[in-house]
Amino acid sequence: MGLTYFRRYRMEMTLENLGRLRDDGPWRDDGYRFLPFEEDLIREHAQAKFQSFRSEMDAHIFPCLARRDGCLRLMREIADRTTFVPSATWLLRYQDRPGGRPMPVGTIQGLQHDEWGSIQNLGVMPEHRGRGLGAALLMRAAVGFRSAGMTKMHLEVTTDNTSAIRLYERVGFRRARVVYKACEVAGVSG
């Protein structure tokens, strides 16, 4: 194991004008349903988080994202914080046919840091990406932050995650600064 530093952008957006965040993607009538946070949905949030991140670069930076139990523990920790913003936390389910079993396929969580809304995780399962679902989750979180009295929001993204960066910039985030996350990574000698 060795210590590696991952370069990440802190991206920021004001909540004054949410016009660039849209809620009318091509998914609109395709079996997707957005659910506001409820305690009894924590396991589904964790499942969506695990399915979204387990094979992604962030699972190397945050090893809990590569494990089901790690995602469940992380989701419980987020929901138990005094700074947790339930109105900025959403679950996305998909039902492939009428009467079929709905599956959790996306999640977003929000915390409050002073007047800032802080996105903790935005994840959509790989097979459901490219439909505007990430932007729709961001829009719901932004509206939730604004209704809780916050005026701006931020998130961090690994600089190599170009598709996520494009999404964030498309909906109105701007790169504010570069931060580094130190992580123990197997196979890296120090």
Side-chain angles (χ1 to χ4, degrees), residues 6 12 18-19 47 65 78 84 97-98 103 120 162 164 168:
F6 289 90
E12 301 175 350
L18 298 178
Q47 179 66 18
L65 296 174
I78 290 170
F84 178 59
R97 65 191 184 290
M103 303 177 338
Q120 293 306 290
T162 55
Y168 301 145

Side-chain angles (χ1 to χ4, degrees), residues 89-108:
T89 301
W90 289 83
L91 177 71
L92 173 63
R93 281 186 185 156
Y94 175 69
Q95 188 172 357
D96 64 351
R97 65 191 184 290
R101 184 170 179 238
M103 303 177 338
V105 298
T107 182
I108 191 166

Side-chain angles (χ1 to χ4, degrees), residues 46 49-50 53-54 59 62-73:
K49 189 185 304 281
F50 171 70
F53 288 105
R54 69 181 178 170
F62 307 101
C64 66
L65 296 174
R67 297 187 349 261
R68 287 179 197 275
D69 65 326
C71 288
L72 181 57
R73 187 177 61 253

Side-chain angles (χ1 to χ4, degrees), residues 45-150:
H45 277 278
Q47 179 66 18
K49 189 185 304 281
F50 171 70
Q51 294 294 338
S52 299
F53 288 105
R54 69 181 178 170
S55 300
E56 302 296 326
M57 137 184 16
D58 280 357
H60 297 289
I61 303 169
F62 307 101
C64 66
L65 296 174
R67 297 187 349 261
R68 287 179 197 275
D69 65 326
C71 288
L72 181 57
R73 187 177 61 253
L74 176 60
M75 193 60 214
R76 285 183 175 143
E77 288 173 5
I78 290 170
D80 285 344
R81 291 185 184 182
T82 59
T83 58
F84 178 59
V85 182
S87 62
T89 301
W90 289 83
L91 177 71
L92 173 63
R93 281 186 185 156
Y94 175 69
Q95 188 172 357
D96 64 351
R97 65 191 184 290
R101 184 170 179 238
M103 303 177 338
V105 298
T107 182
I108 191 166
Q109 302 92 55
L111 296 175
Q112 180 173 359
H113 293 250
D114 299 319
E115 75 275 9
W116 287 89
S118 176
I119 298 294
Q120 293 306 290
N121 303 108
L122 167 60
V124 175
M125 288 174 54
E127 57 270 29
H128 294 272
R129 294 177 187 162
R131 294 178 170 97
L133 298 165
L137 283 164
L138 279 168
M139 191 260 331
R140 283 169 171 74
V143 169
F145 285 138
R146 193 168 63 184
S147 71
M150 285 157 261

